[in-house]
Amino acid sequence: MDQLPTSFGKQSKRLNVAAQIDETKRGALDENQSSTGPSSSNGSDSSDEEEEDDFPTSHSLLLKTQTRAVISITLDPAGSRLATACTDTIKLHDFASMTPTTVRAFRSIEASALKHIEFGPASSFLQIGTTAKILSRDGEVQTEFVKGDMYLRDMNKTKGHVSEITTGTWHPTDKTRCVTAGTDSTLRIWDVNYKRSQKEVIVHKSKVPGGRSRLTAVAWNHFLVAAALDGGLVMWGSDGPYHRPSAEIEEAHVKDSWTSSVDISNDGRLVVSRGGDDTIKLWDTRKFKTPIATTSHPSTADQYGTSNIRFSPDSSNILTGSSSGHLHIFGLSLRPELSTPVTPNSPLITVQWHDKLNQIFTGSANGETNVLYNPSISNKGATLVLAKAPKRRHIDDDPSLTTDISQGMSGEGNDATNSSVSFAARHPNVGLTASGRSRDPRRPNLPAQTPFSKSQPDEKHIREHVPLSSMRDEDPREALLKYADAAAKNPQFTYAWKDTQPKTIYAELSDEEEEEGRDKKRAKR
């Protein structure tokens, strides 16, 4: 009797959320490697439990949506949208639409020479590539800032960066302001509503020959702090004035080493920098001269210039990655508190700890994005994905088993002998020269028709604002001849002499006189 069903009809399979979460639990090997300090055998279990409670690293959700190294990760303030970037592609993810079996991006955006992406307070994100752009949370371009004139020597006179842009960030509270750093030794503060010129220009006057040095990293929170290739750290007030720095350290890191990242604590008292000289240094903004703590940490900036370092949401810890694929979490004394492998043997480039989700996002050189979380202390994000039932696979999900109706069934319409095909389609080169021009001299050379020629975004603007733009599709001979009758009846230039204009009278010659005239012309020749 115990084996009989409790009800009749179709039985629905119950969702086991706990089992799905347990599948993402990290192995015991990771937990053993994560302990960094000496501990006795009796207290090892309790220390592991404390580490799990302090840091959300007990479980991991893998997002393998990029094919190249993930150089930048950002999330919107609410934590519902995730954006990952490699050098040429941005992938957008929505946690609300993903399930355990459909962990994928909902949009892919192609770009070039990407270096940094970052969501702002208004859910728009900043894209740093060949140019600086502002994109909506759905990936639509809202603003693209202009470039400056590279032939101007005075950087204050240019309207934008005159060379490569390295990084950028947002104002901590103002959703309309952002800052970009470039290799032209300038920081430029932009207003997202005005793209034709920057709002402020901050010129870093280096002491190296030439007076210019590349700016490699920037952070904006209570202060505006930038790192330069000459090894210096420069600090300005958050809202100015910008004509002179409020504090500067000339040799914060080794000269000509790439300081890949700086970050400011929430209270504005601490600044952490990760240099290309294999060191991490912690600075006090009240005594911005010497570091209060320094530790040795191998740098990956020579290969991945966007390797970052970040404070935790409460600014009590510092986290970064390493070339071995480990996630390192330090205390404010820069003593290691946790070191756990995320992508072994593949450098971990970028890290991000979201305050509302309480989850750590990492991007690695093998294209993997890992979401580290703890079900007991993390909210939404990965837990939202794993709380859903796996999507049932449908036959239409496999494109090899489906048919494109536009191509017909069984190859219909692909017969080359189809009589409905026009002669011009079957002989596209007849009547054309080798360069593709028409052999008829009266026929103008019309631009080639492409599938995108009528759907360009600027087509409507040109039609409405550029005079006579529609004449490029007209035959010039027909366009002139349609005014022939109107010109004969109502002449515009000879109208004043319309009544007094003498009529031309030609002599009337017979056929014999015409032949004699021709013979005389031949004799003269």
Side-chain angles (χ1 to χ4, degrees), residues 58 78 159 205 214 241 250 280 343 370 393 419 446 472 479:
S58 60
K159 296 183 178 180
K205 297 179 181 179
R214 298 182 178 183
E250 294 182 2
I280 295 175
T343 52
N370 286 273
R393 297 188 178 274
S419 59
L446 300 177
R472 64 175 186 172

Side-chain angles (χ1 to χ4, degrees), residues 6 14 41 43 69 95 107 175 284 322 349 395 463 521:
T6 57
R14 294 183 179 179
S41 59
F95 288 109
R107 183 169 183 183
K175 61 183 180 181
D284 191 340
S322 65
I349 303 172
I395 190 173
R463 239 184 355 255
K521 291 181 180 180

Side-chain angles (χ1 to χ4, degrees), residues 318-336:
I318 299 169
L319 65 157
T320 187
S322 65
S323 58
S324 61
H326 284 64
L327 172 67
H328 300 271
I329 300 180
F330 302 92
L332 293 183
S333 61
L334 292 186
R335 291 182 179 179

Side-chain angles (χ1 to χ4, degrees), residues 102-237:
T102 58
V103 181
R104 54 179 177 235
F106 72 89
R107 183 169 183 183
S108 179
I109 305 171
E110 294 184 359
S112 60
L114 281 173
K115 300 177 184 66
H116 182 71
I117 56 173
E118 182 177 338
F119 269 104
S123 294
S124 300
F125 68 91
L126 174 67
Q127 171 190 327
I128 302 297
T130 53
T131 58
K133 299 179 181 179
I134 304 297
L135 280 71
S136 67
R137 67 194 307 265
D138 295 325
E140 301 294 336
V141 178
Q142 295 178 336
T143 304
E144 182 175 359
F145 300 123
V146 298
K147 290 184 177 181
D149 189 350
M150 65 179 68
Y151 297 104
L152 293 178
R153 179 64 181 173
D154 188 357
M155 292 294 99
N156 292 296
K157 302 297 183 182
T158 57
K159 296 183 178 180
H161 287 285
V162 299
S163 59
E164 180 185 3
I165 306 175
T166 54
T167 186
T169 189
W170 288 88
H171 189 278
T173 57
D174 190 351
K175 61 183 180 181
T176 62
R177 282 196 292 169
C178 62
V179 62
T180 56
T183 58
D184 55 359
S185 193
T186 64
L187 293 173
R188 299 178 187 265
I189 299 176
W190 303 85
D191 187 340
V192 298
N193 300 317
Y194 188 71
K195 63 182 180 180
R196 296 184 179 276
S197 179
Q198 69 275 335
K199 191 174 182 181
E200 296 282 350
V201 181
I202 307 174
V203 181
H204 170 55
K205 297 179 181 179
S206 176
K207 293 187 178 180
V208 299
R212 294 186 183 183
S213 179
R214 298 182 178 183
L215 297 179
T216 61
V218 64
W220 202 351
N221 189 7
H222 295 281
F223 299 97
L224 182 60
V225 179
L229 192 63
D230 58 4
L233 277 178
V234 191
M235 182 172 64
W236 295 269

